[in-house]
Amino acid sequence: MSRQRPSWLMPASVIVALLLGLLPLPLDLQPFRPYWLALVVAYWVIEDPDRSGLGFAFIVGLLADLTFGSLLGEQALRLVVMAFILQRFRARLRFFPILQQSLAIGGLLLNDRIVVAAIHVALGIQPVSPMFWLAPLTGMLLWPPVFVLIDAVRLGHWRKR
């Protein structure tokens, strides 16, 4: 028998990730801003592949493009590439310990930065600064708390205390 999952959690987590992405940061901390949306999409692709996949990543990416005012389709492409890689390796990644998952997510976030740099080069947008490459490290460090928090709410562990 399967347990009832909260249907509000997936859209709520996406909205929270969008709001965290809009949160203003001091100029010195902006290069460290994690790609919150990628962390949330990665969680859902790993843990609930029946409800989230490439279409989910594309729609969330388009929503992010509209929210952040970025090039239409850029974040959609970034999230679809990440979701595709996650779907391909989901069976292995799901059973990694959380610290190994964190390293894999760091690699995916680094790949995301490579995609962004390639888009900038292809469109002739100004090249990225060296500080641009620090955000995957922040995302990698934040993966364990993000994963544990969403998982606790999804499975209802927070109510048992």
Side-chain angles (χ1 to χ4, degrees), residues 10 12 16 22 35-36 39-40 49 58 60 71-72 81 85 87 94 97 103 114 122 125 130 134 139 142 147 153-154:
M10 185 183 292
V16 168
L22 289 172
Y35 191 18
W36 292 105
L39 295 175
V40 169
F58 184 76
V60 169
L71 180 66
L72 189 62
V81 167
I85 295 169
Q87 282 182 335
R94 189 161 187 259
L103 289 173
I114 293 169
I125 301 173
L134 294 174
L142 285 173
F147 181 88
V153 174
R154 181 176 71 98

Side-chain angles (χ1 to χ4, degrees), residues 13-14 17 20 32-47 56 60 78-79 82 86 101-102 104-109 112 135-148 150:
S13 63
V14 169
L20 286 171
F32 295 99
R33 178 189 303 271
Y35 191 18
W36 292 105
L37 212 48
L39 295 175
V40 169
V41 169
Y43 173 84
W44 289 112
V45 169
I46 291 170
E47 291 299 319
F56 169 73
V60 169
R78 292 165 58 189
L79 290 174
M82 186 191 68
L86 278 170
Q101 274 187 8
S102 185
I105 294 296
L108 283 169
L109 293 173
D112 173 67
L137 180 63
T138 309
M140 181 178 74
L141 294 173
L142 285 173
W143 174 251
V146 167
F147 181 88
V148 168
I150 298 174

Side-chain angles (χ1 to χ4, degrees), residues 2-161:
S2 66
R3 227 185 328 184
Q4 183 74 355
R5 305 279 192 237
S7 60
W8 56 268
L9 185 57
M10 185 183 292
S13 63
V14 169
I15 290 169
V16 168
L18 286 170
L19 291 175
L20 286 171
L22 289 172
L23 192 68
L25 286 178
L27 194 58
D28 295 339
L29 293 179
Q30 284 182 1
F32 295 99
R33 178 189 303 271
Y35 191 18
W36 292 105
L37 212 48
L39 295 175
V40 169
V41 169
Y43 173 84
W44 289 112
V45 169
I46 291 170
E47 291 299 319
D48 198 359
D50 296 334
R51 289 179 47 198
S52 59
L54 299 179
F56 169 73
F58 184 76
I59 290 170
V60 169
L62 283 180
L63 182 62
D65 287 329
L66 294 173
T67 302
F68 299 140
S70 59
L71 180 66
L72 189 62
E74 177 186 351
Q75 292 194 48
L77 173 66
R78 292 165 58 189
L79 290 174
V80 166
V81 167
M82 186 191 68
F84 176 78
I85 295 169
L86 278 170
Q87 282 182 335
R88 174 72 176 90
F89 295 104
R90 178 189 173 272
R92 293 181 205 152
L93 188 61
R94 189 161 187 259
F95 295 104
F96 282 174
I98 193 83
L99 294 178
Q100 278 184 317
Q101 274 187 8
S102 185
L103 289 173
I105 294 296
L108 283 169
L109 293 173
L110 184 63
N111 182 62
D112 173 67
R113 289 301 179 166
I114 293 169
V115 170
V116 171
I119 291 172
H120 283 210
V121 167
L123 296 177
I125 301 173
Q126 72 178 15
V128 295
S129 72
M131 298 293 283
F132 173 80
W133 300 96
L134 294 174
L137 180 63
T138 309
M140 181 178 74
L141 294 173
L142 285 173
W143 174 251
V146 167
F147 181 88
V148 168
L149 177 68
I150 298 174
D151 213 40
V153 174
R154 181 176 71 98
L155 299 176
H157 293 305
W158 58 277
R159 286 188 236 152
K160 294 180 183 176
R161 292 183 182 198

